[in-house]
Amino acid sequence: MEDGTAERIRPRDRILETARDMFHKHGIKGVGVDAITEAAGTNKMTLYRHFESKDDLVIECLRATACSANAMWQKFEAEHPGDKLAQLHAWVRMAADCLMMDGRGCDMANAAIELSETDHPARRVIKELKQAQRDRLVGLCRDAGIGQAELLADTLSLLLEGARVSLQSVGAEGPSAQFVRMAEGLITSFRAR
Amino acid sequence: MEDGTAERIRPRDRILETARDMFHKHGIKGVGVDAITEAAGTNKMTLYRHFESKDDLVIECLRATACSANAMWQKFEAEHPGDKLAQLHAWVRMAADCLMMDGRGCDMANAAIELSETDHPARRVIKELKQAQRDRLVGLCRDAGIGQAELLADTLSLLLEGARVSLQSVGAEGPSAQFVRMAEGLITSFRAR
DNA sequence: CTAGGGTGTTACCGGTCTGTAACTTCTAGA
DNA sequence: TCTAGAAGTTACAGACCGGTAACACCCTAG
């Protein structure tokens, strides 16, 4: 029978969660499978019984990250049902919160930079997941009644992506500090057109 | 006497140039010192006679990159002497050209993402070089007579940084394709204030 | 011509990496 | 209680990494 406290998590899930955290903090090439399994309280053999390779583990981590992002979008809808403009502002607020709490950027973007081999299996996944997020933001802008929805969504995307990487290179006092002001200004400007 | 054709470049410079190219293409952790020296037509010992360590080589590469960027700024001033607004538009054009030619992003930003250790010696250098570039762009915006010069410069910075990383994750058909339109629109909008 | 510094060559050190084999131990379900 | 599969353990292979030692070479300045 299952432990009522649900404390005993399956090794596969422990590995996945630990790997996500460590990849996020130290980068993919900055952490080895041994370190992951040790931190997850298990061993290398168990990892390779559940994942074909380290690359496979990386891909599963990225999918899990996308899944978390999906949960965010559902939260926006739940908190502001039907009010697409409020959801857009919630997106900005969430992005800003992640910015100042986190310090490290987007896992997919970081992975894309680290895995420079153009035929790396993770790149396909990154591209399609990022594309899905873009479509989602475009849809939100459109449903919020904004005329040039694609342009606003793409501009917001680039601003956030830029803020994340700027945070890591210039630091928190750099341009990324103005993210909310820029994003809100853009939304206002696009709504006025 | 020196070779008149200047074909015989010093090993140090060959290593530096080769390392810049390979770090740019494959990332810092993605290329070893052996591969660099081989591609530079020399050997590991010579590398370590000129550079204290791989980290030291990385830092010198970043400084060289900053130097190339400085040359760009001088070109702007030379092509549009005194006309700061024209120089700002030239900056946008140059950024867009780099975007579609290159495929890989900014060396400093990529390095900052790859070298996640907060105490890595290269991070200090990255921060100060990036800060200098930011100051330069702010100064250009201010001299071009734009009121909220800092905000415009920071927005343009984030847009470019975002476009570079988006190019690597989503691809060339993604949001980065609209960079020029966004940047020019921003400049127009800020000038009208 | 000669001395010396820059360079090339080879071999090596200790460490880390991904991935596997063989075997033991644990645990859940019938 | 018995059994099958999941998980843990140990050891290892093979490759690559950054960095160093010792020595041979070449080329140029004097």
Side-chain angles (χ1 to χ4, degrees), chain B residues 79-101:
Chain B
E79 288 179 352
H80 309 280
D83 188 348
K84 299 297 179 181
L85 190 60
Q87 292 180 33
L88 186 56
H89 284 112
W91 181 90
V92 172
R93 218 175 308 121
M94 180 273 300
D97 288 348
C98 287
L99 268 184
M100 48 184 77
M101 280 200 312

Side-chain angles (χ1 to χ4, degrees), chain A residues 69-84 86-88 90-91 93 136 140:
Chain A
N70 278 355
M72 282 285 182
W73 285 87
Q74 289 177 357
K75 211 187 72 175
F76 297 156
E77 176 62 39
E79 288 179 352
H80 309 280
D83 188 348
K84 299 297 179 181
Q87 292 180 32
L88 185 57
W91 181 90
R93 217 174 310 121
R136 205 146 190 175
L140 185 56

Side-chain angles (χ1 to χ4, degrees), chain B residues 25-38:
Chain B
K25 283 181 188 153
H26 311 111
I28 293 170
K29 294 187 182 172
V31 53
V33 290
D34 263 323
I36 293 173
T37 54
E38 191 186 357

Side-chain angles (χ1 to χ4, degrees), chain A residues 122-132, chain B residues 169-173:
Chain A
R123 294 193 75 89
R124 265 196 69 252
V125 182
I126 293 170
K127 186 167 183 173
E128 72 186 30
L129 294 179
K130 272 283 181 187
Q131 186 64 51
Chain B
S169 52
V170 206
E173 314 82 15

Side-chain angles (χ1 to χ4, degrees), chain B residues 115-193:
Chain B
L115 309 175
S116 55
E117 309 94 321
T118 50
D119 60 340
H120 194 287
R123 294 193 75 88
R124 266 196 69 253
V125 182
I126 293 171
K127 185 167 182 173
E128 71 186 31
L129 293 179
K130 273 281 181 189
Q131 186 65 49
Q133 287 185 9
R134 182 201 187 191
D135 292 343
R136 204 146 191 176
L137 189 58
V138 170
L140 185 56
C141 289
R142 199 191 316 274
D143 293 346
I146 286 156
Q148 296 180 286
E150 292 92 349
L151 190 58
L152 175 58
D154 284 349
T155 310
L156 290 175
S157 292
L158 292 196
L159 274 185
L160 177 56
E161 211 83 80
R164 281 163 153 168
V165 58
S166 167
L167 195 68
Q168 296 180 76
S169 52
V170 206
E173 314 82 15
S176 62
Q178 306 293 326
F179 170 75
V180 174
R181 205 168 143 201
M182 298 172 189
E184 291 296 345
L186 271 172
I187 295 174
T188 305
S189 162
F190 270 74
R191 287 208 335 132
R193 293 186 191 182

